[in-house]
Amino acid sequence: MARVTCLPTTLLLATPAMLASPAMAMNGIGHGTGGIGVGSGVSGVSAPGKIVLGAIQAMLTGDSRFFREAALARTGSPEPAAPGAWGEGYAGGGRMDGAGTSGGVNSRLAGGVMGADAAVGDWGLLGLAGGYRTERTKDPADAALANVSAYQAGAYASGRWNAVRLTVGAAYEWNHINAERSDSTGLYAGRYGADLGQVFGEAGYRLRTGPVSWEPYLGAAWTSLARATFTEAGGAYPFTLTGGRQNVAFVDIGARARMDWQVAGVTLHPNGALAWRRAYGQLNPGIAATQAGTATYLTGDPIDRAAAHIAAGLDVDLPRGGRFGLGYDGQIARGSWTDVALAKLSLRF
């Protein structure tokens, strides 16, 4: 019968020699040996070093927010958006701390979302959008890394009735991942796909105090990530990791604000948003794998259950109803953070 091994965080493995050491025996499973998660190993096999698949799985689910946040920002401004074309680009980085004894991973990302919408009567918008994101994730010791290319397509609709706004949308994302790692047994590489679908909605209520417009809002999103099965190439003892699915829901409670400010005949719009985000569902799913005929159960970096979302920016009106803006967007949680710089442009039809 195949033996099953449970390994904590970031899919970091220890060699049988490490597991048999007196220091490991004293510390026990999951403690000591900073930066290495501990399992019982694969009998008779030199276990490979670090891989970042667990971090990638959490990262793909978490970073699906960039597409939906772009669509919600388009429709969720305290002041109604005029029908037209729009685009948003972003670049930045982040970190995801490992659980237990894992050292965590660092990431750099850049991408953009473009869309166009049309008026529905005198009360709403209906639009289509597409996007691209590239991301590079690695462990601090550079023993493993992964490059992700993600393509998104989606649709959204928004309606306003007096001060009340309702926005709904759906999107699909195709992720192409190239991962590699190395240890004393060689260089390992894997190429696989992971598709993500999401639906989202948000309700807001517009308020105005002098030159400042406010919109408290309540939002929700459901995401489903499907990961393909793949087998590593190279090295002496490659892994086969079984495909799986991760379903996670997010709920946001927050508020947006925008001010109209005239400076030397130019209209500026300082703006910002603050929200509390709560995650539900499979926040730390396991990944079944085999190596040399032995079954291994791996757990990845978890998605934080609670996080703060912060945004700030400055927009300027352009001729013929256009608008250009620069800003910041960040998500901060106990075990992770992401910071990106934003550039936005909208043109009115």
Side-chain angles (χ1 to χ4, degrees), residues 317-337:
D317 285 351
L318 301 177
R320 300 184 179 181
R323 184 170 293 171
F324 174 75
L326 297 174
Y328 161 84
D329 184 281
Q331 179 172 285
I332 304 170
R334 182 176 181 180
S336 64
W337 58 264

Side-chain angles (χ1 to χ4, degrees), residues 18-74:
M18 293 177 181
L19 297 166
S21 68
M24 185 69 73
M26 292 175 64
N27 286 322
I29 293 178
H31 299 282
T33 67
I36 297 184
V38 182
S40 60
V42 179
S43 177
V45 176
S46 176
K50 305 174 181 180
I51 54 178
V52 296
L53 180 61
I56 296 171
Q57 184 165 275
M59 179 190 71
L60 293 178
T61 297
D63 290 349
S64 65
R65 72 182 180 90
F66 287 108
F67 184 92
R68 68 175 176 270
E69 285 178 3
L72 292 170
R74 168 65 176 170

Side-chain angles (χ1 to χ4, degrees), residues 87-91 113 324-328 341-345:
E88 176 180 299
Y90 55 88
V113 182
F324 174 75
L326 297 174
Y328 161 84
L342 299 172
K344 299 180 287 184
L345 176 66

Side-chain angles (χ1 to χ4, degrees), residues 10 12 34-35 50 55 58-59 63 65-66 92-109 135-142 301-304 331-340:
T10 328
L12 308 183
K50 305 174 181 180
M59 179 190 71
D63 290 349
R65 72 182 180 90
F66 287 108
R95 176 170 174 79
M96 181 178 295
D97 293 336
T101 55
S102 166
V105 295
N106 301 323
S107 64
R108 303 292 297 174
L109 71 155
E135 195 153 0
R136 182 179 179 88
T137 300
K138 63 180 181 179
D139 72 359
D142 290 331
D301 287 349
I303 295 172
D304 287 293
Q331 179 172 285
I332 304 170
R334 182 176 181 180
S336 64
W337 58 264
T338 305
D339 292 318
V340 299

Side-chain angles (χ1 to χ4, degrees), residues 157-183:
S158 182
R160 286 184 180 268
W161 299 268
N162 297 320
V164 177
R165 174 189 58 84
L166 178 63
T167 300
V168 295
Y172 200 82
E173 182 173 300
W174 298 265
N175 296 282
H176 304 284
I177 300 116
N178 292 315
E180 63 182 54
R181 61 187 177 86
S182 61
D183 71 349

